[in-house]
Amino acid sequence: MAELTPPVHGGGVNAAAKRYGIPVESWLDLSTGINPQGWPVPRIPQSVFARLPEADDALESAAAEYYGSSDLLALAGSQQAIELLPRLRRELSGRSRVGVLAPGYAEHDYHWRVNGHQVVSVPAQAIEAHLPELDVLVVINPCNPSTCRFTPLQLEQWREALASRGGWLVVDEAFIDATPELSLLRGEMPPGLIVLRSLGKFFGLAGLRVGFLFAEQAVREALEKVIGPWSIAHPSRWVAAQALQDTRWQQRTRERLIVQQARLRGLLQTYLSDPVHSTALFAWVETDEARYLGQRLAMRAVLVRRFETPSGLRFGLPGVETQWRWLERVLQEIKE
């Protein structure tokens, strides 16, 4: 098997600054889909840094209350589960036939392939046709970058079909916090369902590296043995627990994101003639001119994420009013 190339992600401002000769501080980075107005982290007591993480602190209970299920395992970001689940599946069931939603977060496809599984990239509209031949199905809901969504009923039907033959449905819900009604988390986790959540996007706390895996007990226990103790730093646990308990901020943020999502979609529809699709935290423009438009934006110090298959651009949200005006001015210049 040819060596696989690790995926490229958004957020490469340093590299863009070198490539285009524009200082880092001059860039508007819209490449990541992270909430630019994230949860406001308070001053962290010095004592938090002086102690090892403790499994019986407030994090797991706060997460169970927020997400609606106590069948969880805290992780150093959902990325840790994305890397470990293919290894665990191979140990438990050998090499599997894995369908991965495409286009989608490339780390899923990469790690299932690296671990020797037979992987097929499956467009959303082709999942039903492929399902009978799969042992594992990996979907992102809502999908990054295409923004397509799956209903809980649809996903539950796929889980039942997979679980009946010992299979897994893995659902990455990294971008679902603004629309929690779409989540599959409803108390006790059924066989064959694995759900990934993170504080990186909605809460804007990607640097904490805090995420959760929800699954039946056997899967959680097997992963916990691999991870070992202290996978999440104590300051990260302390901050994450408080953010998960701040229901007032969460509700205000959901309301604000609805307004900002509509504003971003409106801007892109005005200045880019292609159809625009969006989630609460990013918009997706599928266009054959993605390379050209991405370069034109970068020449004006606006960094977005470009995808090749299909050809398109993903725009995150500006954080403050001056950035919104900056984006509109640049889009207008490009159109003219």
Side-chain angles (χ1 to χ4, degrees), residues 254-273:
R254 292 189 181 102
E255 295 169 356
R256 175 176 54 79
L257 288 175
I258 292 173
V259 176
Q260 292 186 330
Q261 175 191 31
R263 184 176 183 181
L264 179 61
R265 189 170 61 247
L267 273 180
L268 298 178
Q269 288 172 339
T270 298
Y271 296 106
L272 301 177
S273 59

Side-chain angles (χ1 to χ4, degrees), residues 141-169:
N141 191 37
C143 183
N144 166 28
S146 74
T147 78
C148 71
R149 293 167 172 80
F150 304 97
T151 67
L153 176 61
Q154 187 177 43
L155 291 169
E156 173 57 22
Q157 291 172 346
W158 294 345
R159 182 206 64 81
E160 287 184 354
L162 290 161
S164 68
R165 51 182 184 269
W168 288 354
L169 171 65

Side-chain angles (χ1 to χ4, degrees), residues 18-319:
K18 293 178 181 178
R19 179 178 181 183
Y20 291 94
I22 302 172
V24 171
E25 60 272 14
S26 298
W27 284 81
L28 172 57
D29 183 8
L30 305 180
S31 67
T32 65
I34 295 171
N35 184 356
Q37 296 177 311
W39 187 75
V41 178
R43 181 182 178 276
I44 302 175
Q46 182 62 32
S47 60
V48 173
F49 294 93
R51 297 172 60 182
L52 286 170
E54 297 179 287
D56 58 352
D57 62 11
L59 179 59
E60 276 78 4
S61 59
E65 178 68 23
Y66 174 78
Y67 293 112
S69 173
S70 59
D71 290 349
L72 60 86
L73 176 63
L75 304 163
S78 55
Q79 177 67 25
Q80 191 171 37
I82 292 171
E83 295 175 8
L84 292 177
L85 282 172
R87 288 169 49 186
L88 177 62
R89 177 73 190 186
R90 186 167 178 174
E91 292 172 3
L92 295 176
S93 305
R95 293 178 178 176
S96 297
R97 297 162 297 176
V98 183
V100 179
L101 180 65
Y105 182 54
E107 290 284 342
H108 290 289
D109 184 280
Y110 174 75
H111 286 286
W112 285 99
R113 291 182 189 275
V114 162
N115 283 277
H117 298 279
Q118 179 185 342
V119 179
V120 55
S121 299
V122 185
Q125 64 272 21
I127 289 177
E128 292 281 357
H130 282 277
L131 196 65
E133 67 194 40
L134 299 177
D135 302 308
V136 178
L137 173 62
V138 181
V139 299
I140 304 101
N141 191 37
C143 183
N144 166 28
S146 74
T147 78
C148 71
R149 293 167 172 80
F150 304 97
T151 67
L153 176 61
Q154 187 177 43
L155 291 169
E156 173 57 22
Q157 291 172 346
W158 294 345
R159 182 206 64 81
E160 287 184 354
L162 290 161
S164 68
R165 51 182 184 269
W168 288 354
L169 171 65
V170 180
V171 185
D172 184 343
E173 294 186 344
F175 287 96
I176 212 167
D177 294 74
T179 52
E181 67 276 6
L182 293 178
S183 176
L184 283 184
L185 296 178
R186 301 284 191 276
E188 184 177 353
M189 295 297 289
L193 177 61
I194 298 173
V195 175
L196 308 181
R197 297 293 290 265
S198 169
L199 272 75
K201 308 303 183 184
F202 175 77
F203 288 93
L205 297 173
L208 288 187
R209 307 313 305 139
V210 176
F212 299 92
L213 173 141
F214 294 82
E216 55 189 320
Q217 185 174 355
V219 173
R220 301 197 315 271
E221 289 181 348
L223 281 179
E224 191 171 20
K225 291 178 182 177
V226 176
I227 293 169
W230 311 318
S231 64
I232 306 174
H234 194 193
S236 291
R237 293 180 66 94
W238 186 88
V239 172
Q242 294 193 60
L244 290 168
Q245 295 175 81
D246 192 346
T247 56
R248 184 178 180 183
W249 179 89
Q250 294 157 16
Q251 184 57 39
R252 289 201 311 264
T253 298
R254 292 189 181 102
E255 295 169 356
R256 175 176 54 79
L257 288 175
I258 292 173
V259 176
Q260 292 186 330
Q261 175 191 31
R263 184 176 183 181
L264 179 61
R265 189 170 61 247
L267 273 180
L268 298 178
Q269 288 172 339
T270 298
Y271 296 106
L272 301 177
S273 59
D274 303 271
V276 178
H277 307 280
S278 63
T279 71
L281 289 169
F282 65 85
W284 166 249
V285 181
E286 189 170 335
T287 170
D288 293 335
E289 295 187 317
R291 179 183 294 272
Y292 166 76
L293 291 171
Q295 290 176 342
R296 293 292 300 277
L297 287 161
M299 291 170 64
R300 291 161 173 81
V302 176
L303 185 62
V304 299
R305 179 72 194 282
R306 182 174 66 85
F307 292 81
E308 294 185 356
T309 308
S311 177
L313 297 174
R314 188 188 67 194
F315 291 76
L317 292 170

